[in-house]
Amino acid sequence: MRIREYSTKGISFRKFLYILPFMLLLAVFAYYPLYGWVYAFFDYSPPIPLSKSPFVGLQWFRSLIENQVKIDQLLQVIKNTFGMSGLGLLFSWLPMIFAIFLNEMKAVRFRKFVQTVTTLPNFISWVLVYSLAFSMFSSEGIVNGLLKQLGLSDSPILFLQNSDHVWITMWLWTIWKTLGWSAILYIAAITGIDDSLYEAAHVDGATRMQVIWNVILPSMLPTYFVLLMLQIASFLNNGLEQYFVFQNAFNKENIQVLDLYVYNLAMGGGSYSVSVAISMLKSLISVVLLFSVNGFSKLLRGESIV
């Protein structure tokens, strides 16, 4: 018994050593940067060292709710963040439906071609995506040139400078870039469906749509709900790259999300401490959302995601 106990401990220790490098990477790149939160409590201005910067406590947090200009800016930024994240949540079912369409394609070569073409944009940087958008939709781009040749427009249409529909255009670019990649998990869920369920459906005389509705879709819903809840938990994390490259003087008010606003405050306005304070609050709210969604998942489905 003692030999078996030592053997079990040895196996557990080896398994721990397997995951130790990943735990170290997580600590270095995810937890160590949290030390930067200390800047939110100092009046920091580079290149003055933090040790020589005056300690101001909660001054920057109070300024966020006492300064009317900052309140108005934050409200607009939060509105943009909620609008763009809300569009993503509203159409979060699109990758699942796209995966079903791919699965229903009988021509294998054509299916692989469509999947490859829709997945490749995920590996293109947002800088190259903007270059494509600029070549197509700038005032001297392909679209405006075509409209002018066809006599449909006398003056160029400023697609990229238009701020009225910037939420929708950003969402469309996101869908174009990520649809194929997001569908991979759902394709894996379809692959894992037991063949006996298909056989039983065909024996009962189910049509193609009935098989999709009663067999495929219910089997994909657990994956969808887990991804949906993770998306809700990261509701405030829109990212930076996409909005940074697409922003300009005309659409800046409606395209600034929280991540971009924090970057512009620090790099453009030099308000490093304020930007850290906002980023800190955003992270704390994201953690609260994560645990709230986890509790809701456990209450509704009997399973937690954390």
Side-chain angles (χ1 to χ4, degrees), residues 177-216:
K177 192 174 187 297
T178 62
L179 183 62
W181 177 259
S182 302
I184 290 177
L185 284 176
Y186 296 109
I187 294 173
I190 294 174
T191 306
I193 298 175
D194 194 343
D195 291 337
S196 61
L197 295 176
Y198 291 109
E199 294 172 1
H202 291 312
V203 168
D204 291 340
T207 63
R208 197 170 180 180
M209 283 302 300
Q210 287 173 333
V211 171
I212 294 174
W213 185 258
N214 296 293
V215 177
I216 297 178

mmCIF file of all heavy atoms in Angstrom, residues 177-216:
data_model
loop_
_atom_site.group_PDB
_atom_site.id
_atom_site.type_symbol
_atom_site.label_atom_id
_atom_site.label_comp_id
_atom_site.label_asym_id
_atom_site.label_seq_id
_atom_site.Cartn_x
_atom_site.Cartn_y
_atom_site.Cartn_z
ATOM 1 N N LYS A 177 -14.069 39.015 -40.372
ATOM 2 C CA LYS A 177 -12.758 38.539 -39.941
ATOM 3 C C LYS A 177 -12.838 37.266 -39.093
ATOM 4 O O LYS A 177 -11.936 36.418 -39.148
ATOM 5 C CB LYS A 177 -12.043 39.635 -39.149
ATOM 6 C CG LYS A 177 -10.559 39.370 -38.892
ATOM 7 C CD LYS A 177 -9.922 40.576 -38.232
ATOM 8 C CE LYS A 177 -8.414 40.434 -38.109
ATOM 9 N NZ LYS A 177 -7.997 39.332 -37.263
ATOM 10 N N THR A 178 -13.889 37.100 -38.302
ATOM 11 C CA THR A 178 -13.894 36.040 -37.291
ATOM 12 C C THR A 178 -14.942 34.953 -37.503
ATOM 13 O O THR A 178 -14.944 33.973 -36.750
ATOM 14 C CB THR A 178 -14.128 36.652 -35.898
ATOM 15 O OG1 THR A 178 -15.425 37.296 -35.863
ATOM 16 C CG2 THR A 178 -13.063 37.688 -35.565
ATOM 17 N N LEU A 179 -15.823 35.097 -38.496
ATOM 18 C CA LEU A 179 -16.933 34.141 -38.632
ATOM 19 C C LEU A 179 -16.450 32.708 -38.830
ATOM 20 O O LEU A 179 -16.880 31.787 -38.129
ATOM 21 C CB LEU A 179 -17.841 34.552 -39.795
ATOM 22 C CG LEU A 179 -19.079 33.671 -40.013
ATOM 23 C CD1 LEU A 179 -19.989 33.730 -38.795
ATOM 24 C CD2 LEU A 179 -19.835 34.101 -41.268
ATOM 25 N N GLY A 180 -15.558 32.501 -39.780
ATOM 26 C CA GLY A 180 -15.073 31.157 -40.060
ATOM 27 C C GLY A 180 -14.330 30.550 -38.892
ATOM 28 O O GLY A 180 -14.499 29.368 -38.571
ATOM 29 N N TRP A 181 -13.508 31.353 -38.226
ATOM 30 C CA TRP A 181 -12.744 30.850 -37.088
ATOM 31 C C TRP A 181 -13.673 30.516 -35.921
ATOM 32 O O TRP A 181 -13.484 29.495 -35.238
ATOM 33 C CB TRP A 181 -11.718 31.894 -36.667
ATOM 34 C CG TRP A 181 -10.913 31.529 -35.470
ATOM 35 C CD1 TRP A 181 -11.084 31.974 -34.189
ATOM 36 C CD2 TRP A 181 -9.793 30.625 -35.417
ATOM 37 N NE1 TRP A 181 -10.152 31.420 -33.350
ATOM 38 C CE2 TRP A 181 -9.345 30.581 -34.085
ATOM 39 C CE3 TRP A 181 -9.127 29.861 -36.383
ATOM 40 C CZ2 TRP A 181 -8.270 29.799 -33.684
ATOM 41 C CZ3 TRP A 181 -8.056 29.079 -35.977
ATOM 42 C CH2 TRP A 181 -7.636 29.051 -34.650
ATOM 43 N N SER A 182 -14.676 31.350 -35.679
ATOM 44 C CA SER A 182 -15.598 31.108 -34.569
ATOM 45 C C SER A 182 -16.449 29.862 -34.794
ATOM 46 O O SER A 182 -16.947 29.270 -33.825
ATOM 47 C CB SER A 182 -16.513 32.328 -34.373
ATOM 48 O OG SER A 182 -15.756 33.494 -34.123
ATOM 49 N N ALA A 183 -16.641 29.487 -36.058
ATOM 50 C CA ALA A 183 -17.474 28.321 -36.366
ATOM 51 C C ALA A 183 -16.764 27.004 -36.100
ATOM 52 O O ALA A 183 -17.415 25.946 -36.065
ATOM 53 C CB ALA A 183 -17.922 28.379 -37.828
ATOM 54 N N ILE A 184 -15.440 27.028 -35.886
ATOM 55 C CA ILE A 184 -14.677 25.781 -35.735
ATOM 56 C C ILE A 184 -15.149 24.985 -34.524
ATOM 57 O O ILE A 184 -15.303 23.755 -34.583
ATOM 58 C CB ILE A 184 -13.172 26.092 -35.639
ATOM 59 C CG1 ILE A 184 -12.653 26.588 -36.990
ATOM 60 C CG2 ILE A 184 -12.386 24.859 -35.202
ATOM 61 C CD1 ILE A 184 -11.197 26.983 -36.990
ATOM 62 N N LEU A 185 -15.389 25.651 -33.393
ATOM 63 C CA LEU A 185 -15.846 24.949 -32.195
ATOM 64 C C LEU A 185 -17.197 24.279 -32.426
ATOM 65 O O LEU A 185 -17.448 23.169 -31.942
ATOM 66 C CB LEU A 185 -15.931 25.908 -31.013
ATOM 67 C CG LEU A 185 -14.605 26.312 -30.353
ATOM 68 C CD1 LEU A 185 -14.848 27.343 -29.277
ATOM 69 C CD2 LEU A 185 -13.905 25.105 -29.779
ATOM 70 N N TYR A 186 -18.067 24.949 -33.173
ATOM 71 C CA TYR A 186 -19.382 24.367 -33.454
ATOM 72 C C TYR A 186 -19.267 23.191 -34.417
ATOM 73 O O TYR A 186 -20.018 22.214 -34.315
ATOM 74 C CB TYR A 186 -20.314 25.434 -34.012
ATOM 75 C CG TYR A 186 -20.606 26.538 -33.029
ATOM 76 C CD1 TYR A 186 -20.084 27.818 -33.214
ATOM 77 C CD2 TYR A 186 -21.386 26.313 -31.910
ATOM 78 C CE1 TYR A 186 -20.338 28.831 -32.302
ATOM 79 C CE2 TYR A 186 -21.655 27.323 -30.992
ATOM 80 C CZ TYR A 186 -21.130 28.573 -31.199
ATOM 81 O OH TYR A 186 -21.382 29.568 -30.285
ATOM 82 N N ILE A 187 -18.340 23.287 -35.354
ATOM 83 C CA ILE A 187 -18.099 22.158 -36.263
ATOM 84 C C ILE A 187 -17.602 20.952 -35.467
ATOM 85 O O ILE A 187 -17.996 19.804 -35.724
ATOM 86 C CB ILE A 187 -17.088 22.556 -37.355
ATOM 87 C CG1 ILE A 187 -17.694 23.624 -38.268
ATOM 88 C CG2 ILE A 187 -16.672 21.339 -38.184
ATOM 89 C CD1 ILE A 187 -16.723 24.216 -39.269
ATOM 90 N N ALA A 188 -16.753 21.208 -34.470
ATOM 91 C CA ALA A 188 -16.284 20.127 -33.608
ATOM 92 C C ALA A 188 -17.433 19.517 -32.811
ATOM 93 O O ALA A 188 -17.491 18.294 -32.614
ATOM 94 C CB ALA A 188 -15.205 20.646 -32.663
ATOM 95 N N ALA A 189 -18.376 20.373 -32.376
ATOM 96 C CA ALA A 189 -19.539 19.866 -31.642
ATOM 97 C C ALA A 189 -20.409 18.991 -32.544
ATOM 98 O O ALA A 189 -20.940 17.964 -32.102
ATOM 99 C CB ALA A 189 -20.347 21.033 -31.086
ATOM 100 N N ILE A 190 -20.548 19.387 -33.807
ATOM 101 C CA ILE A 190 -21.326 18.584 -34.749
ATOM 102 C C ILE A 190 -20.644 17.241 -34.994
ATOM 103 O O ILE A 190 -21.293 16.190 -35.068
ATOM 104 C CB ILE A 190 -21.514 19.351 -36.080
ATOM 105 C CG1 ILE A 190 -22.382 20.591 -35.850
ATOM 106 C CG2 ILE A 190 -22.142 18.457 -37.138
ATOM 107 C CD1 ILE A 190 -22.509 21.477 -37.078
ATOM 108 N N THR A 191 -19.329 17.279 -35.115
ATOM 109 C CA THR A 191 -18.570 16.041 -35.343
ATOM 110 C C THR A 191 -18.748 15.064 -34.185
ATOM 111 O O THR A 191 -18.722 13.838 -34.387
ATOM 112 C CB THR A 191 -17.077 16.361 -35.525
ATOM 113 O OG1 THR A 191 -16.925 17.334 -36.562
ATOM 114 C CG2 THR A 191 -16.287 15.123 -35.910
ATOM 115 N N GLY A 192 -18.938 15.568 -32.983
ATOM 116 C CA GLY A 192 -19.078 14.716 -31.807
ATOM 117 C C GLY A 192 -20.463 14.139 -31.599
ATOM 118 O O GLY A 192 -20.677 13.403 -30.623
ATOM 119 N N ILE A 193 -21.421 14.461 -32.455
ATOM 120 C CA ILE A 193 -22.781 13.928 -32.306
ATOM 121 C C ILE A 193 -22.781 12.424 -32.601
ATOM 122 O O ILE A 193 -22.199 11.979 -33.593
ATOM 123 C CB ILE A 193 -23.764 14.666 -33.236
ATOM 124 C CG1 ILE A 193 -23.829 16.153 -32.858
ATOM 125 C CG2 ILE A 193 -25.158 14.053 -33.160
ATOM 126 C CD1 ILE A 193 -24.682 16.987 -33.799
ATOM 127 N N ASP A 194 -23.460 11.663 -31.771
ATOM 128 C CA ASP A 194 -23.526 10.208 -31.936
ATOM 129 C C ASP A 194 -24.279 9.858 -33.217
ATOM 130 O O ASP A 194 -25.374 10.387 -33.481
ATOM 131 C CB ASP A 194 -24.238 9.592 -30.726
ATOM 132 C CG ASP A 194 -24.058 8.087 -30.650
ATOM 133 O OD1 ASP A 194 -23.671 7.484 -31.675
ATOM 134 O OD2 ASP A 194 -24.306 7.510 -29.581
ATOM 135 N N ASP A 195 -23.711 8.963 -34.027
ATOM 136 C CA ASP A 195 -24.341 8.559 -35.292
ATOM 137 C C ASP A 195 -25.687 7.887 -35.078
ATOM 138 O O ASP A 195 -26.551 7.920 -35.962
ATOM 139 C CB ASP A 195 -23.411 7.606 -36.057
ATOM 140 C CG ASP A 195 -22.171 8.307 -36.579
ATOM 141 O OD1 ASP A 195 -22.235 9.541 -36.747
ATOM 142 O OD2 ASP A 195 -21.147 7.630 -36.815
ATOM 143 N N SER A 196 -25.881 7.290 -33.911
ATOM 144 C CA SER A 196 -27.156 6.613 -33.646
ATOM 145 C C SER A 196 -28.324 7.597 -33.627
ATOM 146 O O SER A 196 -29.461 7.236 -33.942
ATOM 147 C CB SER A 196 -27.092 5.858 -32.318
ATOM 148 O OG SER A 196 -26.852 6.749 -31.242
ATOM 149 N N LEU A 197 -28.040 8.866 -33.268
ATOM 150 C CA LEU A 197 -29.099 9.881 -33.278
ATOM 151 C C LEU A 197 -29.551 10.173 -34.706
ATOM 152 O O LEU A 197 -30.755 10.316 -34.975
ATOM 153 C CB LEU A 197 -28.602 11.158 -32.605
ATOM 154 C CG LEU A 197 -28.280 11.063 -31.114
ATOM 155 C CD1 LEU A 197 -27.699 12.387 -30.612
ATOM 156 C CD2 LEU A 197 -29.529 10.708 -30.324
ATOM 157 N N TYR A 198 -28.593 10.249 -35.635
ATOM 158 C CA TYR A 198 -28.953 10.431 -37.051
ATOM 159 C C TYR A 198 -29.748 9.233 -37.562
ATOM 160 O O TYR A 198 -30.756 9.394 -38.271
ATOM 161 C CB TYR A 198 -27.690 10.608 -37.902
ATOM 162 C CG TYR A 198 -26.948 11.901 -37.674
ATOM 163 C CD1 TYR A 198 -25.722 11.912 -37.028
ATOM 164 C CD2 TYR A 198 -27.467 13.113 -38.113
ATOM 165 C CE1 TYR A 198 -25.028 13.087 -36.823
ATOM 166 C CE2 TYR A 198 -26.780 14.296 -37.919
ATOM 167 C CZ TYR A 198 -25.550 14.288 -37.264
ATOM 168 O OH TYR A 198 -24.871 15.458 -37.068
ATOM 169 N N GLU A 199 -29.284 8.039 -37.215
ATOM 170 C CA GLU A 199 -29.961 6.831 -37.684
ATOM 171 C C GLU A 199 -31.389 6.758 -37.161
ATOM 172 O O GLU A 199 -32.317 6.409 -37.905
ATOM 173 C CB GLU A 199 -29.171 5.599 -37.244
ATOM 174 C CG GLU A 199 -27.797 5.488 -37.900
ATOM 175 C CD GLU A 199 -26.962 4.364 -37.309
ATOM 176 O OE1 GLU A 199 -27.486 3.664 -36.402
ATOM 177 O OE2 GLU A 199 -25.799 4.187 -37.740
ATOM 178 N N ALA A 200 -31.570 7.093 -35.885
ATOM 179 C CA ALA A 200 -32.914 7.085 -35.304
ATOM 180 C C ALA A 200 -33.812 8.113 -35.982
ATOM 181 O O ALA A 200 -34.993 7.849 -36.242
ATOM 182 C CB ALA A 200 -32.828 7.361 -33.807
ATOM 183 N N ALA A 201 -33.249 9.276 -36.294
ATOM 184 C CA ALA A 201 -34.040 10.317 -36.975
ATOM 185 C C ALA A 201 -34.447 9.874 -38.369
ATOM 186 O O ALA A 201 -35.600 10.093 -38.791
ATOM 187 C CB ALA A 201 -33.230 11.610 -37.043
ATOM 188 N N HIS A 202 -33.539 9.239 -39.103
ATOM 189 C CA HIS A 202 -33.861 8.774 -40.451
ATOM 190 C C HIS A 202 -34.880 7.638 -40.413
ATOM 191 O O HIS A 202 -35.758 7.552 -41.282
ATOM 192 C CB HIS A 202 -32.592 8.314 -41.169
ATOM 193 C CG HIS A 202 -31.667 9.449 -41.504
ATOM 194 N ND1 HIS A 202 -32.101 10.615 -42.112
ATOM 195 C CD2 HIS A 202 -30.325 9.603 -41.303
ATOM 196 C CE1 HIS A 202 -31.076 11.435 -42.290
ATOM 197 N NE2 HIS A 202 -29.986 10.845 -41.796
ATOM 198 N N VAL A 203 -34.779 6.755 -39.403
ATOM 199 C CA VAL A 203 -35.765 5.671 -39.261
ATOM 200 C C VAL A 203 -37.157 6.245 -39.008
ATOM 201 O O VAL A 203 -38.163 5.725 -39.520
ATOM 202 C CB VAL A 203 -35.338 4.723 -38.111
ATOM 203 C CG1 VAL A 203 -36.475 3.766 -37.755
ATOM 204 C CG2 VAL A 203 -34.098 3.930 -38.509
ATOM 205 N N ASP A 204 -37.225 7.331 -38.243
ATOM 206 C CA ASP A 204 -38.512 7.972 -37.961
ATOM 207 C C ASP A 204 -39.020 8.801 -39.126
ATOM 208 O O ASP A 204 -40.106 9.396 -39.034
ATOM 209 C CB ASP A 204 -38.401 8.866 -36.721
ATOM 210 C CG ASP A 204 -38.214 8.052 -35.443
ATOM 211 O OD1 ASP A 204 -38.559 6.850 -35.470
ATOM 212 O OD2 ASP A 204 -37.723 8.604 -34.447
ATOM 213 N N GLY A 205 -38.245 8.860 -40.204
ATOM 214 C CA GLY A 205 -38.673 9.599 -41.394
ATOM 215 C C GLY A 205 -38.473 11.098 -41.306
ATOM 216 O O GLY A 205 -39.193 11.864 -41.961
ATOM 217 N N ALA A 206 -37.480 11.543 -40.512
ATOM 218 C CA ALA A 206 -37.241 12.979 -40.354
ATOM 219 C C ALA A 206 -36.658 13.567 -41.628
ATOM 220 O O ALA A 206 -35.827 12.946 -42.294
ATOM 221 C CB ALA A 206 -36.281 13.220 -39.187
ATOM 222 N N THR A 207 -37.109 14.766 -41.959
ATOM 223 C CA THR A 207 -36.555 15.473 -43.105
ATOM 224 C C THR A 207 -35.222 16.115 -42.724
ATOM 225 O O THR A 207 -34.798 16.058 -41.558
ATOM 226 C CB THR A 207 -37.523 16.566 -43.583
ATOM 227 O OG1 THR A 207 -37.686 17.538 -42.527
ATOM 228 C CG2 THR A 207 -38.874 15.973 -43.930
ATOM 229 N N ARG A 208 -34.572 16.735 -43.699
ATOM 230 C CA ARG A 208 -33.271 17.355 -43.448
ATOM 231 C C ARG A 208 -33.380 18.472 -42.414
ATOM 232 O O ARG A 208 -32.555 18.571 -41.505
ATOM 233 C CB ARG A 208 -32.735 17.896 -44.771
ATOM 234 C CG ARG A 208 -31.248 18.204 -44.769
ATOM 235 C CD ARG A 208 -30.783 18.498 -46.184
ATOM 236 N NE ARG A 208 -29.376 18.802 -46.245
ATOM 237 C CZ ARG A 208 -28.742 19.084 -47.371
ATOM 238 N NH1 ARG A 208 -29.393 19.060 -48.527
ATOM 239 N NH2 ARG A 208 -27.451 19.364 -47.359
ATOM 240 N N MET A 209 -34.409 19.297 -42.542
ATOM 241 C CA MET A 209 -34.598 20.391 -41.591
ATOM 242 C C MET A 209 -34.951 19.864 -40.208
ATOM 243 O O MET A 209 -34.536 20.438 -39.191
ATOM 244 C CB MET A 209 -35.686 21.343 -42.092
ATOM 245 C CG MET A 209 -35.240 22.284 -43.189
ATOM 246 S SD MET A 209 -33.830 23.324 -42.693
ATOM 247 C CE MET A 209 -34.509 24.197 -41.294
ATOM 248 N N GLN A 210 -35.711 18.781 -40.146
ATOM 249 C CA GLN A 210 -36.068 18.200 -38.849
ATOM 250 C C GLN A 210 -34.847 17.615 -38.146
ATOM 251 O O GLN A 210 -34.730 17.685 -36.922
ATOM 252 C CB GLN A 210 -37.140 17.128 -39.042
ATOM 253 C CG GLN A 210 -38.516 17.699 -39.371
ATOM 254 C CD GLN A 210 -39.524 16.629 -39.716
ATOM 255 O OE1 GLN A 210 -39.176 15.541 -40.192
ATOM 256 N NE2 GLN A 210 -40.800 16.929 -39.479
ATOM 257 N N VAL A 211 -33.918 17.032 -38.921
ATOM 258 C CA VAL A 211 -32.672 16.527 -38.338
ATOM 259 C C VAL A 211 -31.863 17.680 -37.764
ATOM 260 O O VAL A 211 -31.311 17.589 -36.662
ATOM 261 C CB VAL A 211 -31.855 15.745 -39.386
ATOM 262 C CG1 VAL A 211 -30.472 15.419 -38.856
ATOM 263 C CG2 VAL A 211 -32.578 14.474 -39.795
ATOM 264 N N ILE A 212 -31.794 18.795 -38.516
ATOM 265 C CA ILE A 212 -31.057 19.967 -38.028
ATOM 266 C C ILE A 212 -31.686 20.498 -36.747
ATOM 267 O O ILE A 212 -30.989 20.793 -35.768
ATOM 268 C CB ILE A 212 -31.022 21.066 -39.116
ATOM 269 C CG1 ILE A 212 -30.195 20.604 -40.319
ATOM 270 C CG2 ILE A 212 -30.474 22.370 -38.545
ATOM 271 C CD1 ILE A 212 -30.231 21.570 -41.482
ATOM 272 N N TRP A 213 -33.013 20.597 -36.735
ATOM 273 C CA TRP A 213 -33.720 21.214 -35.621
ATOM 274 C C TRP A 213 -33.738 20.332 -34.364
ATOM 275 O O TRP A 213 -33.633 20.832 -33.241
ATOM 276 C CB TRP A 213 -35.144 21.547 -36.043
ATOM 277 C CG TRP A 213 -35.933 22.296 -35.006
ATOM 278 C CD1 TRP A 213 -36.883 21.800 -34.162
ATOM 279 C CD2 TRP A 213 -35.815 23.684 -34.687
ATOM 280 N NE1 TRP A 213 -37.372 22.783 -33.354
ATOM 281 C CE2 TRP A 213 -36.739 23.952 -33.651
ATOM 282 C CE3 TRP A 213 -35.021 24.730 -35.190
ATOM 283 C CZ2 TRP A 213 -36.883 25.214 -33.102
ATOM 284 C CZ3 TRP A 213 -35.176 25.992 -34.636
ATOM 285 C CH2 TRP A 213 -36.098 26.231 -33.610
ATOM 286 N N ASN A 214 -33.882 19.033 -34.558
ATOM 287 C CA ASN A 214 -34.078 18.125 -33.420
ATOM 288 C C ASN A 214 -32.827 17.355 -32.996
ATOM 289 O O ASN A 214 -32.802 16.799 -31.896
ATOM 290 C CB ASN A 214 -35.188 17.115 -33.744
ATOM 291 C CG ASN A 214 -36.534 17.773 -33.933
ATOM 292 O OD1 ASN A 214 -37.121 18.311 -33.007
ATOM 293 N ND2 ASN A 214 -37.042 17.752 -35.157
ATOM 294 N N VAL A 215 -31.810 17.297 -33.856
ATOM 295 C CA VAL A 215 -30.605 16.544 -33.530
ATOM 296 C C VAL A 215 -29.384 17.455 -33.441
ATOM 297 O O VAL A 215 -28.702 17.511 -32.408
ATOM 298 C CB VAL A 215 -30.357 15.421 -34.563
ATOM 299 C CG1 VAL A 215 -29.047 14.693 -34.238
ATOM 300 C CG2 VAL A 215 -31.520 14.437 -34.582
ATOM 301 N N ILE A 216 -29.110 18.178 -34.536
ATOM 302 C CA ILE A 216 -27.874 18.962 -34.597
ATOM 303 C C ILE A 216 -27.929 20.169 -33.660
ATOM 304 O O ILE A 216 -27.013 20.389 -32.862
ATOM 305 C CB ILE A 216 -27.598 19.398 -36.045
ATOM 306 C CG1 ILE A 216 -27.382 18.177 -36.944
ATOM 307 C CG2 ILE A 216 -26.379 20.315 -36.103
ATOM 308 C CD1 ILE A 216 -27.157 18.515 -38.403
#
